[in-house]
Amino acid sequence: MKCELCHQQNAETAIFLREKGEDRELYVCRACAKRERMRRQKKSQQTRKSSGLPPGMSISVTRVGGDGEPPPIIEAIMNAMQGVVKDLEKASAEVKASKEPEFVAFPCSRVEAEYRIGDRLHLEGLHLVGEMEAVHRAMRALDMKLEGYEADGVHEAGHVYALKYMGAQERAKRVLADILAQERNARARLMDELPRVFGDSLCRALAVMKNCRLLSPGEFFDLLSPLRLAALHGLIEGMPLSDIEKWMRKCDLSSRGDSMTQDERDRLDGELADEMNGRFEDVVLGDRAEEMFL
C-alpha cells in the first residue's frame, strides 16, 4: 500500500489527520509522518505570524520546581563527613582565624561528561526538582560552596557551578560523588515521576528560542540548560547535542552589556535572538517526548 499523502513511498505507519473537525486515519510513510508531526508541533507552538510579532509583544520564561518527596540530599552529603570530624574542626578554626577565608576550586574535568560543562558541574536536574537551595545549605555547613554564574540579571544561569572547598581535598571528593549521585537521581525523577515539570521547562525554552525578539547571553545560556538535558535523553529533533554544548562553552557571561548603552545592548540581543529564531525553527519534540509530555 502506498503512502496516502505523498503516494510514492510504501505506507509504514498510521497517523490521525484532523480535517473539518474530525480525525481521519491515514496510512503514511515514515517521512510524511515526521513532516506531519513537525507541522503539528510548529502550529501548537506558534505565537506570531511569519511577518513577526506585533510591536511591543514579548515572551518571558520562568523557572519551575517540583512537588513531592525530595531526594535526601542533605543526609547524603553529610554522610560524606563520617570519619573526618577532626578535619572539619581544623578547617573551621582556620576560617575563624582568617578575615577572608580562601576557597580552593575542586577540579571537575574528570567528571562524567553528561554532568558537566567544561570543568563545571551541570545540575539542571536538582534545580528542576527544587533541591538546589537544600544543596547550598548543606554545602555552607561543610565550609564548601557551589559557585554559579551571575550574568545579565540571571541568577545561577544555566545551573552550572564550580565546586569550591576548604580543608581536605579527599572530603571534597566524597561530597562531589554524593552531589553527582543526587543529580543522577533528580534526572531519573524528572523522567519517571515529574515529566510535566521537565516538559514545561523544555517547551518554554523551545518557545522562547523560536519567538524571542531580544535575547541576552545570560538568558541564552540559561535556556540552553534544559535543552541540553533533553538532548542528552534524545527528546528533541533538529538540534544536535554538540551544538548546544558548543554554545554553552562559548557563551560570554561577563555581563559586558552593563557598560553599553541601551541601544547597543538591544542591537546585540536582537541579533542573537534573530539567529536563534532561525536555528530553532525546525527543532521539535521527538517521539519519546511527545509520549511523555503531550
Side-chain angles (χ1 to χ4, degrees):
M1 178 179 178
K2 293 295 183 182
C3 171
E4 294 186 78
L5 289 179
C6 69
H7 305 292
Q8 296 178 0
Q9 303 296 326
N10 289 331
E12 299 177 83
T13 187
I15 64 171
F16 287 92
L17 190 65
R18 194 166 187 80
E19 293 181 348
K20 298 180 180 179
E22 297 183 357
D23 287 330
R24 184 162 66 95
E25 187 177 24
L26 298 177
Y27 293 93
V28 300
C29 63
R30 295 289 182 188
C32 287
K34 181 177 180 179
R35 281 195 295 272
E36 177 60 23
R37 183 174 69 252
M38 291 178 65
R39 185 192 68 80
R40 285 201 316 272
Q41 288 191 30
K42 285 183 179 179
K43 185 176 180 181
S44 68
Q45 295 169 357
Q46 185 177 357
T47 62
R48 56 177 172 146
K49 295 181 179 179
S50 58
S51 58
L53 283 169
M57 181 176 288
S58 63
I59 300 174
S60 62
V61 62
T62 58
R63 289 174 177 74
V64 296
D67 296 327
E69 280 299 316
I73 181 67
I74 297 179
E75 181 181 356
I77 293 179
M78 293 302 288
N79 285 340
M81 290 294 295
Q82 291 179 357
V84 292
V85 175
K86 290 183 179 180
D87 257 347
L88 182 58
E89 291 175 348
K90 182 179 178 181
S92 297
E94 292 173 352
V95 172
K96 291 177 181 178
S98 172
K99 293 182 179 180
E100 294 183 2
E102 292 186 3
F103 286 87
V104 179
F106 187 89
C108 295
S109 57
R110 293 187 179 181
V111 169
E112 293 176 73
E114 63 187 294
Y115 299 109
R116 63 179 171 84
I117 295 293
D119 60 354
R120 286 178 171 241
L121 303 176
H122 185 209
L123 304 180
E124 182 69 17
L126 284 168
H127 162 68
L128 288 176
V129 301
E131 282 303 303
M132 277 312 303
E133 184 53 42
V135 174
H136 285 310
R137 288 197 303 271
M139 297 297 281
R140 287 193 293 270
L142 299 174
D143 289 324
M144 300 173 69
K145 65 179 178 178
L146 290 170
E147 188 173 86
Y149 289 115
E150 306 296 319
D152 301 312
V154 181
H155 178 59
E156 296 186 1
H159 309 105
V160 173
Y161 304 91
L163 173 60
K164 297 193 173 182
Y165 70 98
M166 290 184 290
Q169 187 182 68
E170 188 60 32
R171 178 166 62 92
K173 185 177 180 180
R174 289 193 290 271
V175 172
L176 171 62
D178 281 322
I179 291 174
L180 293 175
Q182 294 307 318
E183 172 65 16
R184 190 177 298 111
N185 291 341
R187 294 184 184 187
R189 288 186 64 207
L190 287 173
M191 300 292 289
D192 300 333
E193 303 172 27
L194 303 168
R196 184 172 287 271
V197 171
F198 191 11
D200 181 73
S201 179
L202 170 58
C203 291
R204 284 173 185 267
L206 272 179
V208 174
M209 290 295 199
K210 290 170 180 281
N211 296 288
C212 62
R213 307 311 302 135
L214 293 170
L215 185 62
S216 70
E219 184 183 13
F220 178 47
F221 189 80
D222 199 53
L223 292 169
L224 288 172
S225 186
L227 290 167
R228 178 180 187 260
L229 210 57
L232 280 167
H233 288 283
L235 299 179
I236 56 176
E237 295 180 3
M239 179 61 63
L241 173 64
S242 59
D243 282 0
I244 295 174
E245 292 184 330
K246 177 187 68 177
W247 286 326
M248 293 188 81
R249 286 193 301 268
K250 293 185 176 181
C251 200
D252 182 2
L253 300 176
S254 63
S255 293
R256 63 179 182 179
D258 293 347
S259 62
M260 298 178 182
T261 66
Q262 187 64 49
D263 288 343
E264 289 174 329
R265 190 183 304 121
D266 287 349
R267 178 180 61 79
L268 291 177
D269 290 355
E271 289 174 356
L272 180 58
D274 291 343
E275 179 185 354
M276 290 305 116
N277 289 169
R279 294 299 296 271
F280 279 85
E281 181 179 3
D282 293 324
V283 180
V284 296
L285 301 180
D287 291 333
R288 186 183 181 195
E290 282 199 335
E291 294 174 2
M292 292 173 59
F293 306 145
L294 301 183

